[in-house]
Amino acid sequence: MKEADLFKILSVDKRIEIIELLKKDPMSVNALAQALGVTQSAVSQHLRVLKGAGLVRAERQGYWIY
């Protein structure tokens, strides 16, 4: 991935906030949405972009994915 692509991905404030929250503890989409004050679908879309860039990963624990 080029540096320009990484900067483009991180140019969205909510994505940086998501990364900062996930650095502390694994969180579900529901918990992230509540902490950020946005919809679950918005968080899911941001996570899709971050996962595609290799900046976050998903871990399934039973029914929940963190």
Side-chain angles (χ1 to χ4, degrees):
M1 172 184 301
K2 295 186 222 177
E3 289 177 2
D5 294 334
L6 181 60
F7 287 129
K8 184 176 178 182
I9 289 168
L10 295 176
S11 68
V12 178
D13 291 340
K14 289 297 179 191
R15 291 183 189 150
I16 294 173
E17 291 179 46
I18 288 170
I19 290 172
E20 289 298 320
L21 287 169
L22 293 176
K23 281 172 34 179
K24 297 173 188 170
D25 288 311
M27 297 176 76
S28 67
V29 171
N30 294 340
L32 285 168
Q34 186 174 13
L36 296 171
V38 297
T39 64
Q40 293 175 6
S41 62
V43 171
S44 292
Q45 289 181 17
H46 288 307
L47 286 173
R48 181 178 44 82
V49 171
L50 292 170
K51 281 173 42 176
L55 297 173
V56 297
R57 63 181 170 86
E59 183 178 305
R60 181 175 291 276
Q61 292 182 3
Y63 180 75
W64 300 101
I65 299 175
Y66 294 92

